[in-house]
Amino acid sequence: MAQLWQGRFSKAVDSRVNDFNSSIRFDSRMFRQDINGSMAHATMLGEQGIISPEDQEAILDGLQGILTDLQEGELSIDPEAEDIHTFIEQTLTARIGDAGKRLHTGRSRNDQVALDIRLTLRDESEKILGQILDLAQSLCRQAEANLESVMPGYTHLQRAQPVTFGHQLMAYVWMLLRDAGRIQDALKRMMAYCPLGSGALAGTTYPLDRQLTASLLGFGEPCPNSLDGVSDRDFCIELCAAFATCMMHLSRLSEEIILWCSWEFRFVELDDAFTTGSSIMPQKKNPDVTELIRGKTGRVYGDLTTLLTMMKGISLAYDKDMQEDKEAMWDAIDTLSLCLTTLTPLIDTMKALPQNMRAAAAGGFINATDCADYLTKKGMPFRDAYKLTGSLVAYCIDHHTTLEALPLETYRQHSPLFEEDVYQAIDLLNCCEGRTSYGGPSKAGVQGQLQKARQEIETIRNGLEGEADIPPQNETEEEDHP
Ligand code: ARG
């Protein structure tokens, strides 16, 4: 397939440069969006009288035919084409003749690609949003089943205070909901301004109606500066940062799952279908999925670094460096999507082992704060109660016992404020239930969180479904411009 830019050259381009320069391997992923963008452009050219109504119709029909044929496998993308924009324009011209050559009037591949990548990222980010919500919902289900599964909460990976498994899992739901919010924010900013009509860098002398193309394609308005329009890739960086942050959350959860399913913890058991074995050690059942998620997090950080580094030294406006944006974005999206869709069923099928959690909670004096609080409620200043409880813990360690097993006499030797009800106060489930402060681990508290999280999930989901209700752009065109 020939290049679009042949006129001024006396020699064919070196085949190595051809291969090096070509982006068809990775930009053909945007064929739908490229065609939709071209349809909006052609519609506008016709409306403005820049092309004739006959040419407009031939272009729209031709593009629709190419879209259908590509989707149905009747047409395949030429791997020798320089890029997807070249392939579609040349296929159109081969099919409809001179009208096809008029499509690119008042447009450059620079504004075209800036548009295509935005439209593609919008579509693919919405898919990611749905997958984030699926994972959040599966965590909610596990949390709901474990409202009374007392486990040690940790700081410094040292047993700290009692929480429930439900409370612990809900923490990840809130992280995921923030991730979804970050993606939505980035999409909102990305879709505020449409780059189409910026031309190569300096606009055009044709009387384009940029507001029309912007609204046909779902943008707020045309971008106000053509140089910025073609050279802005902030939205890639913002979205990739949101994806990297989400990967960081998946990685933290994965790390916990890896710990929890070790023999040292044994808080959960992963389903056989979501674990792997060892070629030599017959007893092994390995959490490879979660390890891979932890490992792949580095890849997505790498994608973000690629984008930031790609942009930091390039002059205005378009530079070919920016072609690198797509592979980094596709890798980030594909990696995150793969991790989300594998982790969700792993969480769904994961079996909690509350007895083991409870046994771990019984060691490590995680009710020591509650013991100090007990004394405080009986009138001792907290700092004194803290110190006295510390000496009780030291006593227990020396005598190989626990606060629960300590006789009342021994308690009373330390302070006469201790009475029979101390055992109630340091009972692990009571310790959780007593933590009724907003956001705490009590059953009612976590139920409240669940309700709130589920409402947020539903709101985001409804928004996504609302998007899908907007008719595809080519149908709008047909109605508006028969
Ligand atoms: N393949 C290019 C990209 O992805 C398309 C834009 C080409 N523009 C140019 N001036 N060579 O960025």
Side-chain angles (χ1 to χ4, degrees):
M1 194 167 248
Q3 285 90 3
L4 292 171
W5 35 270
Q6 275 176 337
R8 67 103 71 206
F9 295 87
S10 56
K11 264 189 188 174
V13 75
D14 186 286
S15 67
R16 286 159 297 193
V17 173
N18 228 355
D19 294 344
F20 187 68
N21 195 41
S22 164
S23 52
I24 193 78
R25 273 190 340 279
F26 46 86
D27 66 14
S28 45
R29 179 161 168 158
M30 311 189 295
F31 77 85
R32 285 183 195 81
Q33 292 79 7
D34 191 77
I35 291 173
N36 279 338
S38 289
M39 285 179 142
H41 184 65
T43 301
M44 181 277 294
L45 291 177
E47 287 299 298
Q48 295 298 98
I50 301 168
I51 59 171
S52 69
E54 297 73 41
D55 282 347
Q56 183 204 50
E57 201 187 322
I59 292 172
L60 292 179
D61 288 349
L63 287 170
Q64 185 58 55
I66 293 174
L67 180 61
T68 310
D69 290 351
L70 282 173
Q71 277 170 340
E72 290 175 0
E74 296 294 317
L75 174 67
S76 47
I77 293 170
D78 178 2
E80 301 296 316
E82 183 183 338
D83 54 31
I84 191 64
H85 326 297
T86 304
F87 173 75
I88 288 169
E89 187 184 319
Q90 290 184 343
T91 306
L92 181 69
T93 301
R95 289 184 174 196
I96 67 167
D98 279 356
K101 297 186 195 162
R102 299 207 167 90
L103 168 62
H104 211 53
T105 311
R107 185 176 70 167
S108 154
R109 279 184 300 167
N110 296 351
D111 57 344
Q112 190 175 357
V113 76
L115 171 70
D116 291 1
I117 188 160
R118 281 172 170 85
L119 295 178
T120 309
L121 289 176
R122 179 190 57 185
D123 296 345
E124 303 212 0
S125 299
E126 279 166 8
K127 194 184 73 191
I128 293 279
L129 279 172
Q131 293 167 349
I132 290 178
L133 299 182
D134 291 343
L135 177 59
Q137 274 176 313
S138 117
L139 287 166
C140 284
R141 282 192 294 272
Q142 276 283 4
E144 194 163 36
N146 285 284
L147 294 172
E148 292 184 38
S149 306
V150 176
M151 66 175 265
Y154 296 82
T155 62
H156 313 269
L157 200 57
Q158 300 290 318
R159 292 174 189 170
Q161 289 181 342
V163 295
T164 63
F165 193 49
H167 189 223
Q168 181 95 4
L169 292 179
M170 285 308 292
Y172 287 99
V173 172
W174 295 109
M175 295 178 218
L176 291 172
L177 285 172
R178 285 198 298 279
D179 292 330
R182 262 183 286 273
I183 293 171
Q184 286 184 304
D185 289 347
L187 289 181
K188 216 166 91 194
R189 213 167 359 267
M190 181 180 84
M191 294 306 291
Y193 291 118
C194 181
L196 188 63
S198 297
L201 72 161
T204 170
T205 54
Y206 293 100
L208 305 184
D209 181 350
R210 293 195 58 201
Q211 184 58 57
L212 175 60
T213 44
S215 46
L216 284 174
L217 293 163
F219 290 87
E221 54 183 295
C223 64
N225 184 307
S226 60
L227 290 162
D228 184 43
V230 292
S231 65
D232 165 29
R233 293 293 183 274
D234 294 2
F235 56 94
C236 292
I237 293 169
E238 278 193 68
L239 278 171
C240 196
F243 298 154
T245 307
C246 185
M247 284 298 303
M248 177 269 289
H249 292 145
L250 301 191
S251 183
R252 288 186 78 175
L253 175 57
S254 293
E255 166 64 10
E256 295 223 282
I257 292 173
I258 291 163
L259 286 173
W260 293 337
C261 67
S262 70
W263 279 105
E264 281 68 19
F265 280 77
R266 219 73 201 144
F267 287 1
V268 300
E269 165 130 34
L270 297 183
D271 192 90
D272 279 2
F274 288 87
T275 49
T276 51
S278 152
S279 63
I280 178 172
M281 298 168 280
Q283 86 285 10
K284 288 299 287 291
K285 181 168 163 181
N286 294 329
D288 286 32
V289 168
T290 40
E291 290 167 61
L292 266 172
I293 291 173
R294 205 173 50 183
K296 285 176 188 290
T297 301
R299 266 178 93 115
V300 179
Y301 291 3
D303 295 326
L304 177 60
T305 305
T306 297
L307 293 166
L308 285 165
T309 312
M310 173 188 91
M311 291 305 291
K312 86 182 195 36
I314 54 179
S315 56
L316 291 180
Y318 176 84
D319 294 280
K320 195 68 177 236
D321 314 42
M322 287 158 76
Q323 178 166 286
E324 296 285 314
D325 59 358
K326 283 166 280 301
E327 282 170 293
M329 286 313 293
W330 303 164
D331 185 68
I333 289 177
D334 292 341
T335 305
L336 176 56
S337 173
L338 195 61
C339 293
L340 287 166
T341 52
T342 316
L343 189 55
T344 300
L346 179 144
I347 297 289
D348 276 332
T349 54
M350 179 177 82
K351 205 171 122 207
L353 301 172
Q355 298 90 329
N356 295 347
M357 295 177 191
R358 182 65 183 242
F365 305 99
I366 62 176
N367 45 6
T369 314
D370 303 88
C371 181
D373 287 343
Y374 170 87
L375 290 172
T376 308
K377 284 173 195 154
K378 300 249 165 174
M380 188 181 286
F382 177 75
R383 196 45 66 208
D384 294 339
Y386 171 96
K387 203 169 160 194
L388 190 143
T389 307
S391 61
L392 267 174
V393 168
Y395 178 93
C396 289
I397 292 171
D398 285 348
H399 294 80
H400 306 288
T401 184
T402 62
L403 289 174
E404 290 90 324
L406 212 58
L408 186 58
E409 267 166 67
T410 319
Y411 271 110
R412 292 182 66 86
Q413 280 158 13
H414 285 78
S415 164
L417 290 177
F418 281 116
E419 288 169 84
E420 195 58 45
D421 59 353
V422 65
Y423 297 104
Q424 289 289 312
I426 60 165
D427 172 80
L428 290 171
L429 188 56
N430 288 345
C431 291
C432 279
E433 279 308 292
R435 287 181 155 74
T436 51
S437 59
Y438 188 77
S442 74
K443 186 173 173 182
V446 178
Q447 275 166 333
Q449 282 191 51
L450 263 164
Q451 203 189 359
K452 189 171 164 62
R454 283 178 167 148
Q455 267 163 13
E456 279 196 29
I457 292 170
E458 203 185 300
T459 308
I460 303 175
R461 243 242 227 247
N462 290 342
L464 289 177
E465 278 156 20
E467 293 287 319
D469 290 345
I470 298 171
Q473 172 259 316
N474 48 329
E475 285 174 26
T476 316
E477 275 176 16
E478 274 166 19
E479 280 163 24
D480 293 353
H481 314 285

